[in-house]
Amino acid sequence: MALIITIDGVAASGKSSVARRVAEELRLPFVSSGLLYRAATVLALRESLDLSDGAALLAALEHFSPRLIPDAAGNRVLVGTDDLTGALHTAEVDAHVSQVSQHPPLRRWVREQLRLLPPPFVVEGRDMGSAVFPEAAVKYYLTARPEVRARRRGAERDLSVEQIEWALRERDRQDAAQSAPAEGAVLLDTSDMNLEQVVERILEGVRAWADR
Ligand SMILES: Nc1ncnc2c1ncn2[C@@H]1O[C@H](COP(=O)(O)OP(=O)(O)O)[C@@H](O)[C@H]1O
Ligand SMILES: Nc1ccn([C@H]2C[C@H](O)[C@@H](COP(=O)(O)OP(=O)(O)O)O2)c(=O)n1
């Protein structure tokens, strides 16, 4: 079975940065599942769709067919030849993506897109090790204290750390349904670890799996 490594966790726990570095060390592609939910949100906002209307949101995904490109330097999302990536990480998308991602038809669409990707790869999100790739060989779940996560994200948003912490706690609450750690996932609280320490812990886990 080709190796799939899942790295799930709460917002700003370090999933994308850690997945990118782990994939780099293992010379594997890495996949950021959240970008498809962010792309769905950007499309819905641009089309002024009702974010509570799952059928309309799914129709928009099927019409625009956003494509996730697992670039090693950082995943990209294309709609036709338009690169949506630069519009995905904003406070406005943060504020609406949880509502968009709740709809089961959208989750099924995202799952179908992800399961088309040829293993091996590292994939990060909320439910990669549970709902999407339960067969994955190595599963991790990252957490960190909200104030630590807010400080880390602070460099990426033009909001105060207090505003970011409030928004992260709100998104944790809204995302809770699809964010439970997968069975067998190794839980890592990264609050007091730097990025490379988290990366090394996961690489140790992959080596242990390879030597089993
Ligand atoms: N263990 C860590 N220590 C310090 N900074 C970190 C750590 N993990 C991630 N970061 C930084 O925190 C920010 C958010 O990380 P990111 O990977 O985007 O989180 P997520 O994908 O879980 O939302 C990034 O700037 C990243 O470089
Ligand atoms: N596998 C996933 C990935 C993301 N989501 C939802 C929940 C998140 O609030 C949004 C955005 O996810 P993303 O990983 O890009 O967000 P963060 O990097 O954690 O801030 O999408 C999801 O429901 N399932």
Side-chain angles (χ1 to χ4, degrees):
M1 178 183 72
L3 177 60
I4 294 174
I5 300 166
T6 61
I7 302 175
D8 291 311
V10 292
S13 57
K15 302 179 301 296
S16 310
S17 308
V18 168
R20 180 186 296 115
R21 283 282 301 113
V22 168
E24 184 180 43
E25 291 297 317
L26 297 175
R27 293 178 175 74
L28 292 178
F30 89 97
V31 180
S32 289
S33 62
L35 297 189
L36 283 173
Y37 292 107
R38 289 176 176 274
T41 306
V42 168
L43 295 170
L45 293 171
R46 287 180 178 177
E47 298 295 308
S48 303
L49 298 182
D50 174 355
L51 302 189
S52 64
D53 184 344
L57 294 170
L58 179 61
L61 274 182
E62 291 173 338
H63 173 73
F64 289 104
S65 298
R67 286 180 301 117
L68 182 59
I69 312 296
D71 279 1
N75 286 198
R76 312 199 70 71
V77 176
L78 302 181
V79 172
T81 56
D82 291 343
D83 187 338
L84 228 55
T85 312
L88 301 181
H89 291 284
T90 66
E92 184 186 27
V93 171
D94 286 355
H96 296 95
V97 63
S98 294
Q99 181 181 7
V100 169
S101 70
Q102 303 299 318
H103 297 285
L106 262 76
R107 301 199 71 79
R108 280 193 292 275
W109 186 89
V110 168
R111 183 181 185 282
E112 285 161 11
Q113 303 306 309
L114 294 173
R115 289 199 66 91
L116 292 174
L117 296 170
F121 48 69
V122 180
V123 60
E124 58 96 358
R126 297 290 191 286
D127 60 343
M128 295 299 102
S130 51
V132 183
F133 297 106
E135 75 276 22
V138 179
K139 301 180 183 182
Y140 279 83
Y141 190 91
L142 307 186
T143 61
R145 293 187 298 273
E147 63 274 16
V148 171
R149 293 186 280 140
R151 209 168 40 247
R152 290 173 180 173
R153 175 117 318 152
E156 303 169 330
R157 297 285 190 278
D158 54 3
L159 294 170
S160 70
V161 172
E162 293 71 23
Q163 287 171 311
I164 293 173
E165 180 173 342
W166 185 89
L168 288 175
R169 288 177 183 275
E170 178 60 17
R171 199 137 63 87
D172 290 351
R173 189 185 59 76
Q174 292 180 29
D175 294 346
Q178 70 264 16
S179 299
E183 190 176 331
V186 174
L187 271 64
L188 280 186
D189 183 332
T190 72
S191 302
D192 303 311
M193 298 168 75
N194 64 40
L195 184 62
E196 289 309 312
Q197 286 169 325
V198 180
V199 170
E200 185 47 38
R201 281 287 293 276
I202 293 177
L203 291 175
E204 283 169 8
V206 175
R207 286 192 286 266
W209 173 81
D211 297 344
R212 73 198 179 289

